[in-house]
PDB file of all heavy atoms in Angstrom:
ATOM      1  N   THR A  27      46.114  42.722 -16.939  1.00 97.00           N
ATOM      2  CA  THR A  27      45.747  43.535 -18.094  1.00 97.00           C
ATOM      3  C   THR A  27      46.269  42.917 -19.387  1.00 97.00           C
ATOM      4  O   THR A  27      45.552  42.824 -20.387  1.00 97.00           O
ATOM      5  CB  THR A  27      46.287  44.959 -17.929  1.00 97.00           C
ATOM      6  OG1 THR A  27      45.730  45.549 -16.755  1.00 97.00           O
ATOM      7  CG2 THR A  27      45.940  45.821 -19.136  1.00 97.00           C
ATOM      8  N   LEU A  28      47.521  42.504 -19.369  1.00 97.00           N
ATOM      9  CA  LEU A  28      48.111  41.912 -20.569  1.00 97.00           C
ATOM     10  C   LEU A  28      47.409  40.625 -20.968  1.00 97.00           C
ATOM     11  O   LEU A  28      47.177  40.367 -22.159  1.00 97.00           O
ATOM     12  CB  LEU A  28      49.594  41.647 -20.337  1.00 97.00           C
ATOM     13  CG  LEU A  28      50.492  42.894 -20.291  1.00 97.00           C
ATOM     14  CD1 LEU A  28      51.886  42.530 -19.803  1.00 97.00           C
ATOM     15  CD2 LEU A  28      50.558  43.556 -21.666  1.00 97.00           C
ATOM     16  N   SER A  29      47.040  39.808 -19.992  1.00 97.00           N
ATOM     17  CA  SER A  29      46.367  38.547 -20.321  1.00 97.00           C
ATOM     18  C   SER A  29      44.994  38.807 -20.937  1.00 97.00           C
ATOM     19  O   SER A  29      44.617  38.157 -21.916  1.00 97.00           O
ATOM     20  CB  SER A  29      46.228  37.677 -19.062  1.00 97.00           C
ATOM     21  OG  SER A  29      45.417  38.306 -18.082  1.00 97.00           O
ATOM     22  N   ALA A  30      44.255  39.762 -20.372  1.00 98.00           N
ATOM     23  CA  ALA A  30      42.926  40.079 -20.911  1.00 98.00           C
ATOM     24  C   ALA A  30      43.025  40.720 -22.285  1.00 98.00           C
ATOM     25  O   ALA A  30      42.225  40.423 -23.188  1.00 98.00           O
ATOM     26  CB  ALA A  30      42.185  41.004 -19.951  1.00 98.00           C
ATOM     27  N   LEU A  31      44.003  41.602 -22.467  1.00 98.00           N
ATOM     28  CA  LEU A  31      44.160  42.266 -23.763  1.00 98.00           C
ATOM     29  C   LEU A  31      44.556  41.261 -24.834  1.00 98.00           C
ATOM     30  O   LEU A  31      44.015  41.278 -25.954  1.00 98.00           O
ATOM     31  CB  LEU A  31      45.212  43.375 -23.657  1.00 98.00           C
ATOM     32  CG  LEU A  31      45.489  44.162 -24.935  1.00 98.00           C
ATOM     33  CD1 LEU A  31      44.228  44.846 -25.429  1.00 98.00           C
ATOM     34  CD2 LEU A  31      46.603  45.179 -24.706  1.00 98.00           C
ATOM     35  N   GLU A  32      45.488  40.376 -24.532  1.00 98.00           N
ATOM     36  CA  GLU A  32      45.908  39.380 -25.514  1.00 98.00           C
ATOM     37  C   GLU A  32      44.737  38.489 -25.927  1.00 98.00           C
ATOM     38  O   GLU A  32      44.548  38.199 -27.119  1.00 98.00           O
ATOM     39  CB  GLU A  32      47.037  38.525 -24.955  1.00 98.00           C
ATOM     40  CG  GLU A  32      47.550  37.482 -25.950  1.00 98.00           C
ATOM     41  CD  GLU A  32      48.709  36.669 -25.415  1.00 98.00           C
ATOM     42  OE1 GLU A  32      49.003  36.743 -24.216  1.00 98.00           O
ATOM     43  OE2 GLU A  32      49.337  35.951 -26.222  1.00 98.00           O
ATOM     44  N   ALA A  33      43.939  38.046 -24.960  1.00 98.00           N
ATOM     45  CA  ALA A  33      42.798  37.192 -25.278  1.00 98.00           C
ATOM     46  C   ALA A  33      41.776  37.935 -26.135  1.00 98.00           C
ATOM     47  O   ALA A  33      41.184  37.368 -27.058  1.00 98.00           O
ATOM     48  CB  ALA A  33      42.144  36.700 -23.982  1.00 98.00           C
ATOM     49  N   THR A  34      41.574  39.218 -25.847  1.00 98.00           N
ATOM     50  CA  THR A  34      40.633  40.022 -26.634  1.00 98.00           C
ATOM     51  C   THR A  34      41.132  40.208 -28.057  1.00 98.00           C
ATOM     52  O   THR A  34      40.376  40.062 -29.023  1.00 98.00           O
ATOM     53  CB  THR A  34      40.425  41.397 -25.965  1.00 98.00           C
ATOM     54  OG1 THR A  34      39.976  41.221 -24.621  1.00 98.00           O
ATOM     55  CG2 THR A  34      39.396  42.213 -26.725  1.00 98.00           C
ATOM     56  N   LEU A  35      42.407  40.534 -28.196  1.00 98.00           N
ATOM     57  CA  LEU A  35      42.978  40.735 -29.529  1.00 98.00           C
ATOM     58  C   LEU A  35      42.912  39.457 -30.358  1.00 98.00           C
ATOM     59  O   LEU A  35      42.673  39.502 -31.573  1.00 98.00           O
ATOM     60  CB  LEU A  35      44.431  41.199 -29.415  1.00 98.00           C
ATOM     61  CG  LEU A  35      44.653  42.594 -28.815  1.00 98.00           C
ATOM     62  CD1 LEU A  35      46.132  42.833 -28.559  1.00 98.00           C
ATOM     63  CD2 LEU A  35      44.089  43.673 -29.744  1.00 98.00           C
ATOM     64  N   ARG A  36      43.104  38.316 -29.707  1.00 98.00           N
ATOM     65  CA  ARG A  36      43.079  37.045 -30.437  1.00 98.00           C
ATOM     66  C   ARG A  36      41.703  36.790 -31.071  1.00 98.00           C
ATOM     67  O   ARG A  36      41.610  36.185 -32.148  1.00 98.00           O
ATOM     68  CB  ARG A  36      43.466  35.907 -29.501  1.00 98.00           C
ATOM     69  CG  ARG A  36      43.945  34.647 -30.229  1.00 98.00           C
ATOM     70  CD  ARG A  36      44.566  33.663 -29.260  1.00 98.00           C
ATOM     71  NE  ARG A  36      45.770  34.191 -28.627  1.00 98.00           N
ATOM     72  CZ  ARG A  36      46.949  34.256 -29.223  1.00 98.00           C
ATOM     73  NH1 ARG A  36      47.095  33.818 -30.457  1.00 98.00           N
ATOM     74  NH2 ARG A  36      48.001  34.739 -28.578  1.00 98.00           N
ATOM     75  N   ILE A  37      40.654  37.253 -30.424  1.00 98.00           N
ATOM     76  CA  ILE A  37      39.308  37.086 -30.984  1.00 98.00           C
ATOM     77  C   ILE A  37      39.187  37.839 -32.299  1.00 98.00           C
ATOM     78  O   ILE A  37      38.493  37.406 -33.228  1.00 98.00           O
ATOM     79  CB  ILE A  37      38.246  37.582 -29.977  1.00 98.00           C
ATOM     80  CG1 ILE A  37      38.306  36.770 -28.684  1.00 98.00           C
ATOM     81  CG2 ILE A  37      36.843  37.484 -30.578  1.00 98.00           C
ATOM     82  CD1 ILE A  37      37.392  37.287 -27.587  1.00 98.00           C
ATOM     83  N   TYR A  38      39.877  38.979 -32.414  1.00 97.00           N
ATOM     84  CA  TYR A  38      39.786  39.804 -33.624  1.00 97.00           C
ATOM     85  C   TYR A  38      40.387  39.135 -34.858  1.00 97.00           C
ATOM     86  O   TYR A  38      40.174  39.615 -35.985  1.00 97.00           O
ATOM     87  CB  TYR A  38      40.466  41.153 -33.393  1.00 97.00           C
ATOM     88  CG  TYR A  38      39.583  42.170 -32.710  1.00 97.00           C
ATOM     89  CD1 TYR A  38      39.712  42.422 -31.353  1.00 97.00           C
ATOM     90  CD2 TYR A  38      38.615  42.876 -33.421  1.00 97.00           C
ATOM     91  CE1 TYR A  38      38.910  43.353 -30.713  1.00 97.00           C
ATOM     92  CE2 TYR A  38      37.809  43.813 -32.797  1.00 97.00           C
ATOM     93  CZ  TYR A  38      37.960  44.048 -31.441  1.00 97.00           C
ATOM     94  OH  TYR A  38      37.151  44.964 -30.826  1.00 97.00           O
ATOM     95  N   LEU A  39      41.122  38.067 -34.682  1.00 97.00           N
ATOM     96  CA  LEU A  39      41.654  37.348 -35.838  1.00 97.00           C
ATOM     97  C   LEU A  39      40.517  36.780 -36.687  1.00 97.00           C
ATOM     98  O   LEU A  39      40.701  36.486 -37.869  1.00 97.00           O
ATOM     99  CB  LEU A  39      42.585  36.229 -35.372  1.00 97.00           C
ATOM    100  CG  LEU A  39      43.866  36.684 -34.651  1.00 97.00           C
ATOM    101  CD1 LEU A  39      44.638  35.480 -34.129  1.00 97.00           C
ATOM    102  CD2 LEU A  39      44.739  37.525 -35.579  1.00 97.00           C
ATOM    103  N   GLU A  40      39.344  36.615 -36.078  1.00 97.00           N
ATOM    104  CA  GLU A  40      38.140  36.184 -36.791  1.00 97.00           C
ATOM    105  C   GLU A  40      37.073  37.255 -36.589  1.00 97.00           C
ATOM    106  O   GLU A  40      36.337  37.228 -35.600  1.00 97.00           O
ATOM    107  CB  GLU A  40      37.640  34.846 -36.254  1.00 97.00           C
ATOM    108  CG  GLU A  40      38.654  33.715 -36.346  1.00 97.00           C
ATOM    109  CD  GLU A  40      38.146  32.441 -35.691  1.00 97.00           C
ATOM    110  OE1 GLU A  40      37.211  31.828 -36.246  1.00 97.00           O
ATOM    111  OE2 GLU A  40      38.664  32.081 -34.616  1.00 97.00           O
ATOM    112  N   PRO A  41      36.965  38.231 -37.488  1.00 95.00           N
ATOM    113  CA  PRO A  41      36.064  39.376 -37.308  1.00 95.00           C
ATOM    114  C   PRO A  41      34.613  38.996 -37.007  1.00 95.00           C
ATOM    115  O   PRO A  41      33.962  39.636 -36.167  1.00 95.00           O
ATOM    116  CB  PRO A  41      36.176  40.112 -38.648  1.00 95.00           C
ATOM    117  CG  PRO A  41      37.546  39.784 -39.132  1.00 95.00           C
ATOM    118  CD  PRO A  41      37.775  38.358 -38.720  1.00 95.00           C
ATOM    119  N   GLU A  42      34.091  37.964 -37.675  1.00 95.00           N
ATOM    120  CA  GLU A  42      32.710  37.565 -37.414  1.00 95.00           C
ATOM    121  C   GLU A  42      32.540  37.075 -35.982  1.00 95.00           C
ATOM    122  O   GLU A  42      31.508  37.316 -35.338  1.00 95.00           O
ATOM    123  CB  GLU A  42      32.288  36.470 -38.398  1.00 95.00           C
ATOM    124  CG  GLU A  42      32.196  36.960 -39.838  1.00 95.00           C
ATOM    125  CD  GLU A  42      31.725  35.859 -40.781  1.00 95.00           C
ATOM    126  OE1 GLU A  42      31.470  34.730 -40.297  1.00 95.00           O
ATOM    127  OE2 GLU A  42      31.595  36.136 -41.980  1.00 95.00           O
ATOM    128  N   ARG A  43      33.550  36.403 -35.470  1.00 96.00           N
ATOM    129  CA  ARG A  43      33.520  35.941 -34.081  1.00 96.00           C
ATOM    130  C   ARG A  43      33.607  37.130 -33.131  1.00 96.00           C
ATOM    131  O   ARG A  43      32.948  37.162 -32.079  1.00 96.00           O
ATOM    132  CB  ARG A  43      34.674  34.980 -33.841  1.00 96.00           C
ATOM    133  CG  ARG A  43      34.764  34.431 -32.427  1.00 96.00           C
ATOM    134  CD  ARG A  43      36.019  33.604 -32.228  1.00 96.00           C
ATOM    135  NE  ARG A  43      36.297  33.371 -30.824  1.00 96.00           N
ATOM    136  CZ  ARG A  43      37.489  33.148 -30.312  1.00 96.00           C
ATOM    137  NH1 ARG A  43      38.558  33.109 -31.121  1.00 96.00           N
ATOM    138  NH2 ARG A  43      37.649  32.956 -29.019  1.00 96.00           N
ATOM    139  N   ALA A  44      34.410  38.130 -33.481  1.00 97.00           N
ATOM    140  CA  ALA A  44      34.589  39.302 -32.621  1.00 97.00           C
ATOM    141  C   ALA A  44      33.276  40.033 -32.399  1.00 97.00           C
ATOM    142  O   ALA A  44      32.967  40.451 -31.278  1.00 97.00           O
ATOM    143  CB  ALA A  44      35.624  40.242 -33.234  1.00 97.00           C
ATOM    144  N   VAL A  45      32.489  40.179 -33.447  1.00 96.00           N
ATOM    145  CA  VAL A  45      31.217  40.888 -33.333  1.00 96.00           C
ATOM    146  C   VAL A  45      30.263  40.156 -32.393  1.00 96.00           C
ATOM    147  O   VAL A  45      29.438  40.777 -31.721  1.00 96.00           O
ATOM    148  CB  VAL A  45      30.577  41.075 -34.729  1.00 96.00           C
ATOM    149  CG1 VAL A  45      29.170  41.619 -34.622  1.00 96.00           C
ATOM    150  CG2 VAL A  45      31.437  42.003 -35.574  1.00 96.00           C
ATOM    151  N   LYS A  46      30.386  38.858 -32.306  1.00 96.00           N
ATOM    152  CA  LYS A  46      29.498  38.070 -31.454  1.00 96.00           C
ATOM    153  C   LYS A  46      30.017  37.927 -30.021  1.00 96.00           C
ATOM    154  O   LYS A  46      29.241  37.930 -29.069  1.00 96.00           O
ATOM    155  CB  LYS A  46      29.294  36.682 -32.058  1.00 96.00           C
ATOM    156  CG  LYS A  46      28.577  36.675 -33.402  1.00 96.00           C
ATOM    157  CD  LYS A  46      28.480  35.259 -33.951  1.00 96.00           C
ATOM    158  CE  LYS A  46      27.801  35.244 -35.311  1.00 96.00           C
ATOM    159  NZ  LYS A  46      27.746  33.863 -35.880  1.00 96.00           N
ATOM    160  N   GLU A  47      31.332  37.790 -29.861  1.00 97.00           N
ATOM    161  CA  GLU A  47      31.886  37.423 -28.561  1.00 97.00           C
ATOM    162  C   GLU A  47      32.418  38.591 -27.737  1.00 97.00           C
ATOM    163  O   GLU A  47      32.548  38.462 -26.520  1.00 97.00           O
ATOM    164  CB  GLU A  47      33.004  36.386 -28.744  1.00 97.00           C
ATOM    165  CG  GLU A  47      32.505  35.059 -29.295  1.00 97.00           C
ATOM    166  CD  GLU A  47      33.590  33.999 -29.307  1.00 97.00           C
ATOM    167  OE1 GLU A  47      34.624  34.189 -28.620  1.00 97.00           O
ATOM    168  OE2 GLU A  47      33.421  32.986 -29.999  1.00 97.00           O
ATOM    169  N   ILE A  48      32.733  39.702 -28.368  1.00 97.00           N
ATOM    170  CA  ILE A  48      33.184  40.865 -27.606  1.00 97.00           C
ATOM    171  C   ILE A  48      31.940  41.654 -27.203  1.00 97.00           C
ATOM    172  O   ILE A  48      31.225  42.166 -28.072  1.00 97.00           O
ATOM    173  CB  ILE A  48      34.165  41.722 -28.422  1.00 97.00           C
ATOM    174  CG1 ILE A  48      35.446  40.916 -28.672  1.00 97.00           C
ATOM    175  CG2 ILE A  48      34.480  43.027 -27.712  1.00 97.00           C
ATOM    176  CD1 ILE A  48      36.470  41.599 -29.517  1.00 97.00           C
ATOM    177  N   PRO A  49      31.633  41.721 -25.910  1.00 97.00           N
ATOM    178  CA  PRO A  49      30.353  42.275 -25.460  1.00 97.00           C
ATOM    179  C   PRO A  49      29.995  43.642 -26.040  1.00 97.00           C
ATOM    180  O   PRO A  49      28.845  43.859 -26.447  1.00 97.00           O
ATOM    181  CB  PRO A  49      30.532  42.337 -23.933  1.00 97.00           C
ATOM    182  CG  PRO A  49      31.460  41.209 -23.632  1.00 97.00           C
ATOM    183  CD  PRO A  49      32.435  41.195 -24.780  1.00 97.00           C
ATOM    184  N   VAL A  50      30.950  44.561 -26.091  1.00 96.00           N
ATOM    185  CA  VAL A  50      30.643  45.892 -26.613  1.00 96.00           C
ATOM    186  C   VAL A  50      30.168  45.819 -28.061  1.00 96.00           C
ATOM    187  O   VAL A  50      29.168  46.441 -28.435  1.00 96.00           O
ATOM    188  CB  VAL A  50      31.883  46.809 -26.505  1.00 96.00           C
ATOM    189  CG1 VAL A  50      31.685  48.077 -27.334  1.00 96.00           C
ATOM    190  CG2 VAL A  50      32.148  47.169 -25.056  1.00 96.00           C
ATOM    191  N   LEU A  51      30.874  45.058 -28.876  1.00 96.00           N
ATOM    192  CA  LEU A  51      30.482  44.937 -30.282  1.00 96.00           C
ATOM    193  C   LEU A  51      29.149  44.230 -30.422  1.00 96.00           C
ATOM    194  O   LEU A  51      28.315  44.595 -31.261  1.00 96.00           O
ATOM    195  CB  LEU A  51      31.566  44.190 -31.067  1.00 96.00           C
ATOM    196  CG  LEU A  51      32.949  44.851 -31.111  1.00 96.00           C
ATOM    197  CD1 LEU A  51      33.885  44.058 -32.015  1.00 96.00           C
ATOM    198  CD2 LEU A  51      32.857  46.293 -31.586  1.00 96.00           C
ATOM    199  N   ALA A  52      28.913  43.211 -29.595  1.00 97.00           N
ATOM    200  CA  ALA A  52      27.640  42.492 -29.652  1.00 97.00           C
ATOM    201  C   ALA A  52      26.482  43.412 -29.296  1.00 97.00           C
ATOM    202  O   ALA A  52      25.421  43.374 -29.940  1.00 97.00           O
ATOM    203  CB  ALA A  52      27.677  41.290 -28.708  1.00 97.00           C
ATOM    204  N   MET A  53      26.651  44.245 -28.283  1.00 97.00           N
ATOM    205  CA  MET A  53      25.588  45.161 -27.879  1.00 97.00           C
ATOM    206  C   MET A  53      25.330  46.230 -28.941  1.00 97.00           C
ATOM    207  O   MET A  53      24.186  46.595 -29.204  1.00 97.00           O
ATOM    208  CB  MET A  53      25.932  45.804 -26.539  1.00 97.00           C
ATOM    209  CG  MET A  53      25.814  44.856 -25.357  1.00 97.00           C
ATOM    210  SD  MET A  53      26.043  45.654 -23.749  1.00 97.00           S
ATOM    211  CE  MET A  53      27.833  45.713 -23.664  1.00 97.00           C
ATOM    212  N   LEU A  54      26.404  46.733 -29.557  1.00 96.00           N
ATOM    213  CA  LEU A  54      26.258  47.794 -30.547  1.00 96.00           C
ATOM    214  C   LEU A  54      25.669  47.293 -31.857  1.00 96.00           C
ATOM    215  O   LEU A  54      25.003  48.048 -32.575  1.00 96.00           O
ATOM    216  CB  LEU A  54      27.605  48.460 -30.813  1.00 96.00           C
ATOM    217  CG  LEU A  54      28.196  49.298 -29.682  1.00 96.00           C
ATOM    218  CD1 LEU A  54      29.577  49.807 -30.062  1.00 96.00           C
ATOM    219  CD2 LEU A  54      27.273  50.468 -29.347  1.00 96.00           C
ATOM    220  N   THR A  55      25.914  46.038 -32.187  1.00 95.00           N
ATOM    221  CA  THR A  55      25.492  45.529 -33.501  1.00 95.00           C
ATOM    222  C   THR A  55      24.224  44.680 -33.459  1.00 95.00           C
ATOM    223  O   THR A  55      23.750  44.249 -34.506  1.00 95.00           O
ATOM    224  CB  THR A  55      26.627  44.696 -34.127  1.00 95.00           C
ATOM    225  OG1 THR A  55      26.937  43.578 -33.266  1.00 95.00           O
ATOM    226  CG2 THR A  55      27.874  45.542 -34.317  1.00 95.00           C
ATOM    227  N   SER A  56      23.665  44.423 -32.281  1.00 96.00           N
ATOM    228  CA  SER A  56      22.414  43.654 -32.205  1.00 96.00           C
ATOM    229  C   SER A  56      21.302  44.408 -32.917  1.00 96.00           C
ATOM    230  O   SER A  56      21.205  45.644 -32.828  1.00 96.00           O
ATOM    231  CB  SER A  56      22.012  43.421 -30.748  1.00 96.00           C
ATOM    232  OG  SER A  56      22.918  42.566 -30.101  1.00 96.00           O
TER     233      SER A  56
END
């Protein structure tokens, strides 16, 4: 859980990348 959460949080350091690479955000914003 910690490894997955850390990797997910690291993506948020670049918001534009987060919208594309985090599946939930990509599905909601398509």
Side-chain angles (χ1 to χ4, degrees):
T27 300
L28 288 170
S29 63
L31 180 60
E32 181 178 11
T34 303
L35 293 171
R36 200 169 296 283
I37 299 174
Y38 276 101
L39 295 175
E40 302 175 70
E42 293 182 0
R43 180 186 165 207
V45 172
K46 295 177 182 178
E47 295 187 16
I48 294 177
V50 167
L51 298 185
M53 287 186 279
L54 291 176
T55 60
S56 292

